Structures are given as C-alpha cells and as structure tokens.
Amino acid sequence: MKTVPEYFGSLVFDDRVMKATLSASVYASLKKTIDEGATLDIGVANAVADAMKDWALSKGATHFTHWFQPMTGITAEKHDSFISPSPDGGVIMEFSGKELIKGEPDASSFPSGGLRATFEARGYTAWDPTSYAFIKGKTLCIPTAFCSYGGHALDKKTPLLRSMEALNKQALRILRLFGNDSAKCVRSSVGPEQEYFLISKEMYDARPDLRFTGRTLFGSKPPKGQEMDDHYFGVIKPRVAAFMEELNEELWKLGILAKTEHNEVAPAQHELAPIYTTTNVATDHNQITMEMMQKVASRHGLVCLLHEKPFAGVNGSGKHNNWSIATSEGQNLLAPGDTPYENAQFLLFLCAVIKAVDDYQDLLRISVATAGNDHRLGANEAPPAVISMFLGDELTAVLDAIETDTPYQGIEKTQMKLGVHVLPKFNRDTTDRNRTSPFAFTGNKFEFRMLGSSNSIAAANIMLNSAVAESLKVYADRLEGVDDFETALHEMIKKTIKDHKRIIFNGNGYDDAWIKEATEVRGLLNYRTTVDCVPHLLDEKNIAMLTSHKIFTKEELEARAEIMLENYCKTVVIEANTMITMAKTQIAPAVERFAADLAKNAAAKKAISPALACFYEIGSIEKLSALTDRISIAVDELQSAVIALPGTGEILAEAETIRDVILPKMCELRLACDEAETLTDKTYWPFPTYSDILFSVR
Ligand code: ADP
Ligand code: MG
C-alpha cells in the first residue's frame, strides 16, 4: 500500500509534474503566467496541453472538461473526449493549446441575471492557470473562469481573481511605504472549516423533503437532541470513521490538505478543516471537498447533508472562513511583528480590516445571504445577522490606548506611540475564546463565521478582499508623499479607531441586549433576511467601491442581485410545493388512517361494553380531527399563496411576498403537522422522524 506522501496529489497536474514533464523554457513561461499573470503564448499553451494530455492518459483519463463555478453555486463541467479520428479508421488522443485555454460551453441554461441575452447562447470559459488541473474519475478537469461573450463574468471565480488582484495592488503600495521593496505580491489565504451532517441513505430516501430541498420541512423535536453536549468531539462512530478515512484519501489524491476532523455539536454533525491555502485555490478545493463528501458518503450507504439547517431545533451547519494576507516572502501581514516598525505595519493592516468590516457590513452580510442561511443567522447557534468584530481584550486595550493617547498597561505603563513600542504577541488562547462573534481576530488571521455550509466561499472572500483593498487604497493615497510618515501614520490609525470602533464588540453576540445596543446605540446594520440585504448590493457606495477596483461592473452587480433573489424565490417555492405534497398525500392521510382505526377500536370496545368511556380514542380523535382540519386549511392557504405569485416581472416584490406571506404560511402548516406527529402512533407515520434520522448512523 502506498503511503500518504507517495499518493498525495497524485491526481493533480501540480508543480512537481510540470517540472518533470515540461521543457525548461515552457516551464519557465508557465511559471511566469502563474506567479505574475503574464500572458501565455500559444506555443507554450500547446506544449502544456500536450504534456497535460499525456499525463492524464497515463492516469486512465479519456475526457477533459473546463471546470467552472457558475452562479448556481455548484460546479459545472461538460466532458469532451480526447479522441480524434485518424485516416486509417482508428483514433488518436489529442488536446491542443487552444482547447486548454478556451472553451465554449452552451451557457444558455446557467443563470446570468439578464447579462446574456437568450439569443446569445454562448459563453466562454478561460483557463485559470493559478489553480492546478486535476483528474476526477476518467476526466481531466481544467479550472476555468466563465464569461459571456460581452466579457461579463458569469461565475464566482472571475470576480474572486479580480478581488485578489485589487488587494495585491493596494497592499503592495502600503508595503513600499514601509520600505519593503522585495515583496513581489500579496495574496489572501483561506482555510474554510466545513460542517456537514451524515445520515443513513435509507432515511434520506424515505423523506421527500430531504430529497427535494436538502432540509426537513417537518419533524417534531426528538426527546434527546444536543442537550447533553455528548456528541461534540465525541468518539467517532465506526461507519463515520470509515467515511472520513476514505474521504481523506480521495482529497489527498487531489492535493487537498484535509487536516482536522471531528464531531460537531449536533448529533450526526461533523466538521472537516483543510490547511489554509491561497484563496482561489481554497475556493476550488472547497467546492471539490463538498462534492467528494457527497460522493464518498454514497459509497458508504450514507448521505452527506450540506444544507445550513437540515433540522429545526438542532444546530445548523456553517463554514468558518479563516482569512489572512501574506506577502510572496511568507510574511503574514495580520501577525504582530517582532519590531516596533513591524507592529506599526501590523496595526495599519489591522485598521484596514476594521474599517473595511465597518464600512462594508452590508456587503459581508450579502455575501452569505441565501434562503438556507436565513434559518441560521440570528438563531441561537450561529452568529447574529448583525456584523461586529471580536478583537479580544488585549488588542482592544492597545487600540484604546492609541486612540486616547493614554498609557497602555501591558507595555511598561508607557504611552503607546507607534514605531516605538513592541506589541505583545497575542496569545491564541486569549483571542480565540469568543465563539459567538461573526468576525473574530484569532491571533494572526480573521475568522468570518457567517458563511453557510453549502455556500461557495467565493462571495465572502470577494467582498472581504475588495473592502480591505479599499481601506488600503485610502491609506496609501493619504500616506504616499507625506513628509512626516510616522506622524501621519499615527494620526491615521487613531482616526480609524475613533471612526470605526463601534464595530468592535468582545461580548456575547447571541445576547438580545447586544442586538439592541448594536442597532439602536451603535447604528450597526441588522439585515435579517436575504430579501432585506440583497437590494443593498446596488447601493451607490457599494457600486462605487466595487467598480472602482474593477471587481464588478455595474451590470454584473445588477445581474448578481437579480440571481440571488431569483435563487431565494426558487428555493422557497420548491420547499412550499414539497410541503404541500407531503402534507396532502402523506401526513393528512396517515393521521386520518390512525384516527379511523381509533374510531374502529372505540366502536368495538363499546360493542362489548357500552359503558366504556374510551377517553383515549375519543380524545385523540377529537384532537387529530382538529389538526387534520388545520392542516387542510393551511395547505389550501399555502397553495393559493404560491399560485398567486406572479412568477415573472419584479423579482424583489416576489421575494418580499415570499418572505412575508409564503414563509409564515409554511410555518403554520409545519406547526400543525408536527403536533399531529406527536399524537400519532409511530407505525402510521409516513416517513422517518427526527429521532430515526439523527441517530441512524452507528
Ligand atoms: P479552530 O478555529 O477550530 O480553533 P484552527 O484555528 O487551528 O482551528 O484552524 C482553523 C482553520 O484556520 C484551518 O483551516 C487552518 O488552516 C486555518 N488557518 C490557520 N492559520 C491561518 C492563516 N494564517 N490564514 C488563513 N487560515 C489559517
Ligand atoms: Mg474555527
């Protein structure tokens, strides 16, 4: 058997393979493209394509695909085989540089938010050489960006790459001011911690709601949930352990640095964290990880649920986006340094993030907005929908001291002056304690905790990179060319703290009193739902910032807002229709059958002895009958409301109706059905209950 180092990355056309299979000159120009974004000439592309094909064939591949991330949130691929007819009636295996660089999938059925007129069915995919090609099954997958013919981004990768470029440009300006002339580039890195549920396939198959919507739309609370906290970090069950082992192997072959795995808070909930890497690679890897989780689960008779809230009343699943920025020389710009000068630089980058999060709370909130995540944010388990930042007491005290020009107790009780004092190293233990903050400083990185488990991490990082790039631009514009750099720097840091300290909150984010203070005293935003926040993507300040850094065009932003609302509407309408069918064809008939049998029993008993009261039967029949009536009314009302949706035209109005009318009606239907579940003989219940599902895997 091969050891992990022997098979790690064996399905990836990575640097090791490039070095071994490309000529020195081809390798050098490809490296230049990867590292510095230099354009690739067709001769080099042909040579790379040829080497890639030979390598892929040696691994058993027969097809290639341009792998991309359209706005559906999942990845897309269209497979072409390498075969090309030869004059003698046989085939040869071919793959050209042109095919490597550019593809033309029929794009008409991907969401474009009106960017691609329907008559212009084609979009094109363009190779992203910064993310390695890999093999999945028998297919060589080439990571690509996806655009319309007019050049508009139709995917998540294009704006992500643009945001990394914007951050790079502005961060380098700052580094030069600090005398760093050697850093070639600055990149953001991410380590996403992925939560998920594993349930048995039998249970899944028996629940139309899970199959059609990824979450349960009915189900009363099980007698035992997560109260005992006995699942978190608990012993991993053998079936789950076998799944994790195989998942790790698959991910390692794909060069994905799967590192940590453990049980999560809820029964049947788990987490996987990779070692962090460059943001666009981390984004690709997270997409592959989610796909692999589902694939490997099915080989074990399991289903992996990635929905943000598969079970009401049980912790949902999120994704913690650990984010930092570092130079090409490996200096982490969010780590306090060893010298006073490095500390001043650290504080400036820290301030850039503080300013970015405060100025663009709305964009961060929007970047995690989906119908699924609405069930999580603001509930008592995930961060609230209000964005705030946790810095820890130590760092907050340092900032206070700077703002007020008062002595900081931690540093020899002297006045804090930048460029003079060495900051303490922030201990992970003191920075990592707060688990309720949406955005926490954890020693040398920030952890953005609002992402939903099924979200691509692209959107969150696009907004984060762009907003921080904007802060850095403001700083660089101000600092370039000043005579007294240190004084100007000190003043600017002070000003940032003064202007933006309202975003810093070290207390309990789940506390109701905090939400009140945040919104009423501090004036922070509280967009509770997707519908509340998405329109603000098009606020003037947001359009101005995102277009000025060339992350999005105005048209692209309009398209994205439209697609987000469209996805929201479609998701909830599918849920409503699934509920209607389940209530009508499964739940009501089951309750009815049980009530009829109770009636039969009561009649039989009374035939034996007319004096028998039959309290249980009659009492239950009365309650169940009232509930089936309630269910019937709720179903009709929900159905009428769904039919009344215009379905075309004003997407925002439709989304608002869904939020204000459809969702409450779904809630009412669920309440009636869940109550019926608690009164109905289990053998009559038409699908597995929460207890069955959550404790189905041993
Ligand atoms: P936890 O948050 O559960 O305590 P860790 O902090 O050890 O766990 O790591 C969480 C994730 O953060 C991992 O994916 C890890 O690779 C990532 N991470 C660690 N350091 C950095 C960094 N400097 N930049 C980005 N991500 C990082
Ligand atoms: Mg974490």
Side-chain angles (χ1 to χ4, degrees):
M1 215 173 92
K2 283 192 172 169
T3 63
V4 179
E6 280 166 345
Y7 71 75
F8 185 86
S10 58
L11 296 178
V12 186
F13 192 75
D14 61 15
D15 199 55
R16 295 175 299 184
V17 187
M18 290 178 196
K19 245 190 214 133
T21 59
L22 299 174
S23 73
S25 67
V26 169
Y27 174 78
S29 27
L30 180 58
K31 269 306 254 188
K32 221 171 145 61
T33 302
I34 294 173
D35 295 339
E36 295 161 38
T39 30
L40 202 69
D41 80 74
I42 188 72
V44 173
N46 279 331
V48 176
D50 212 42
M52 234 185 226
K53 178 203 70 189
D54 288 342
W55 169 81
L57 294 178
S58 79
K59 301 277 175 186
T62 53
H63 287 67
F64 69 92
T65 182
H66 275 200
W67 184 78
F68 58 103
Q69 300 170 34
M71 299 297 299
T72 51
I74 50 173
T75 54
E77 42 197 76
K78 173 187 150 219
H79 298 184
D80 280 303
S81 73
F82 289 117
I83 63 164
S84 173
S86 60
D88 60 4
V91 291
I92 49 166
M93 301 304 253
E94 270 189 349
F95 184 49
S96 69
K98 218 171 120 232
E99 288 170 303
L100 167 64
I101 292 177
K102 190 166 171 180
E104 302 193 358
D106 179 344
S108 55
S109 38
F110 293 110
S112 76
L115 273 182
R116 182 185 14 67
T118 28
F119 58 83
E120 193 198 313
R122 289 189 143 186
Y124 69 89
T125 49
W127 180 33
D128 167 18
T130 61
S131 183
Y132 297 137
F134 58 93
I135 289 174
K136 213 172 61 180
K138 288 186 171 295
T139 303
L140 169 68
C141 298
I142 300 152
T144 54
F146 179 42
C147 298
S148 77
Y149 255 89
H152 291 302
L154 293 175
D155 68 348
K156 308 203 171 195
K157 169 164 275 191
T158 308
L160 181 65
L161 292 171
R162 293 175 185 159
S163 75
M164 291 175 68
E165 185 42 44
L167 183 64
N168 173 47
K169 184 171 155 195
Q170 303 303 333
L172 281 177
R173 286 176 70 193
I174 298 289
L175 289 179
R176 301 299 182 242
L177 287 170
F178 279 89
N180 180 336
D181 290 321
S182 51
K184 280 214 179 68
C185 69
V186 170
R187 282 196 177 138
S188 62
S189 294
V190 167
E193 300 166 63
Q194 175 74 49
E195 291 181 335
Y196 60 97
F197 279 83
L198 273 186
I199 64 170
S200 90
K201 184 165 183 315
E202 282 167 276
M203 300 289 156
Y204 175 86
D205 286 340
R207 298 270 322 204
D209 46 4
L210 284 176
R211 282 191 286 122
F212 295 136
T213 73
R215 73 176 179 111
T216 54
L217 300 166
F218 300 102
S220 64
K221 230 172 116 73
K224 178 180 189 292
Q226 61 202 48
E227 299 81 3
M228 309 289 283
D229 279 334
D230 51 357
H231 187 67
Y232 192 51
F233 279 25
V235 178
I236 297 173
K237 297 184 182 116
R239 226 171 134 193
V240 176
F243 158 85
M244 286 177 172
E245 192 181 314
E246 194 177 326
L247 176 62
N248 279 338
E249 265 170 41
E250 294 288 357
L251 295 178
W252 289 338
K253 280 192 251 169
L254 287 164
I256 297 173
L257 295 153
K259 171 88 174 166
T260 316
E261 56 205 23
H262 58 77
N263 289 349
E264 264 298 328
V265 179
Q269 193 184 27
H270 312 279
E271 179 187 291
L272 180 132
I275 296 173
Y276 68 99
T277 179
T278 317
T279 305
N280 71 319
V281 175
T283 305
D284 287 359
H285 281 181
N286 183 248
Q287 293 296 134
I288 303 173
T289 301
M290 290 194 285
E291 191 181 319
M292 259 320 153
M293 282 176 161
Q294 286 166 313
K295 212 176 257 175
V296 173
S298 78
R299 290 184 206 145
H300 290 255
L302 301 168
V303 173
C304 170
L305 301 178
L306 290 168
H307 194 283
E308 285 72 24
K309 196 72 181 175
F311 305 99
V314 174
N315 255 22
S317 299
K319 188 137 57 185
H320 290 178
N321 190 78
N322 294 273
W323 177 92
S324 67
I325 36 183
T327 66
S328 45
E329 294 158 323
Q331 185 192 11
N332 179 350
L333 300 173
L334 296 178
D338 295 322
T339 66
Y341 218 59
E342 283 172 6
N343 289 154
Q345 182 184 301
F346 160 72
L347 283 171
L348 189 66
F349 279 101
L350 181 77
C351 281
V353 181
I354 295 172
K355 176 175 158 59
V357 174
D358 188 31
D359 283 341
Y360 298 100
Q361 296 162 48
D362 44 3
L363 289 182
L364 292 175
R365 172 66 184 90
I366 292 164
S367 75
V368 299
T370 59
N373 216 14
D374 280 359
H375 297 289
R376 227 180 118 245
L377 298 179
N380 232 15
E381 84 205 49
V386 177
I387 304 216
S388 66
M389 271 173 109
F390 170 89
L391 293 183
D393 294 339
E394 223 172 352
L395 196 48
T396 307
V398 169
L399 297 188
D400 271 350
I402 295 172
E403 186 201 347
T404 54
D405 285 321
T406 49
Y408 170 63
Q409 303 301 322
I411 306 170
E412 304 145 13
K413 302 201 172 170
T414 51
Q415 195 140 314
M416 266 309 283
K417 191 158 183 317
L418 289 173
V420 179
H421 296 288
V422 177
L423 292 177
K425 282 269 188 241
F426 302 102
N427 187 330
R428 259 192 67 101
D429 289 343
T430 63
T431 56
D432 202 23
R433 252 184 239 139
N434 189 311
R435 306 307 265 174
T436 64
S437 175
F439 204 99
F441 182 67
T442 52
N444 60 3
K445 62 183 173 10
F446 279 97
E447 186 166 338
F448 183 28
R449 299 182 175 136
M450 288 171 83
L451 287 77
S453 46
S454 69
N455 287 175
S456 156
I457 62 170
N461 289 295
I462 292 168
M463 295 312 176
L464 201 47
N465 290 339
S466 308
V468 173
E470 170 66 16
S471 304
L472 295 173
K473 174 178 182 295
V474 171
Y475 293 167
D477 286 350
R478 169 80 187 84
L479 292 173
E480 277 169 1
V482 292
D483 291 335
D484 183 353
F485 176 70
E486 275 188 31
T487 307
L489 178 67
H490 188 86
E491 285 312 310
M492 197 147 60
I493 288 179
K494 260 178 78 168
K495 182 170 158 38
T496 301
I497 300 167
K498 213 181 243 65
D499 292 349
H500 299 287
K501 66 180 174 192
R502 65 170 186 165
I503 198 78
I504 299 167
F505 175 65
N506 293 328
N508 180 1
Y510 298 167
D511 200 341
D512 288 340
W514 158 240
I515 304 300
K516 212 168 134 61
E517 179 190 328
T519 52
E520 291 172 17
V521 183
R522 301 195 186 200
L524 300 179
L525 298 173
N526 186 13
Y527 294 134
R528 305 202 39 159
T529 70
T530 300
V531 190
D532 298 323
C533 65
V534 168
H536 295 283
L537 184 59
L538 304 178
D539 285 358
E540 213 165 296
K541 79 165 191 14
N542 294 334
I543 293 183
M545 188 276 276
L546 291 166
T547 55
S548 76
H549 290 279
K550 302 200 163 40
I551 315 296
F552 291 107
T553 63
K554 182 156 181 272
E555 294 72 30
E556 287 171 348
L557 284 170
E558 285 164 351
R560 259 149 232 257
E562 170 137 351
I563 291 170
M564 288 183 81
L565 291 174
E566 231 171 61
N567 284 343
Y568 176 87
C569 293
K570 282 186 191 153
T571 304
V572 182
V573 168
I574 291 172
E575 289 178 351
N577 284 329
T578 305
M579 284 187 92
I580 292 167
T581 310
M582 287 173 78
K584 266 193 186 170
T585 66
Q586 293 188 282
I587 298 174
V591 177
E592 200 61 17
R593 264 197 307 278
F594 177 51
D597 284 351
L598 286 172
K600 251 187 255 158
N601 293 351
K605 281 186 181 176
K606 280 190 186 276
I608 296 166
S609 167
L612 287 174
C614 296
F615 283 145
Y616 167 63
E617 290 85 351
I618 294 167
S620 300
I621 291 167
E622 280 171 0
K623 281 184 215 145
L624 290 172
S625 177
L627 281 168
T628 40
D629 287 349
R630 202 174 135 195
I631 291 171
S632 167
I633 293 167
V635 165
D636 287 348
E637 286 201 354
L638 178 58
Q639 192 151 30
S640 313
V642 171
I643 291 169
L645 287 172
T648 51
E650 248 304 286
I651 191 76
L652 179 58
E654 172 139 347
E656 283 167 351
T657 309
I658 285 175
R659 176 195 61 194
D660 300 335
V661 180
I662 305 280
L663 280 169
K665 288 193 192 303
M666 285 165 62
C667 231
E668 159 57 17
L669 175 57
R670 176 174 188 149
L671 279 177
C673 291
D674 287 359
E675 195 178 335
E677 185 195 320
T678 65
L679 298 172
T680 304
D681 174 346
K682 195 171 169 348
T683 58
Y684 288 74
W685 201 250
F687 37 74
T689 63
Y690 271 24
S691 312
D692 300 330
I693 305 171
L694 286 168
F695 300 95
S696 64
V697 181
R698 330 234 134 246

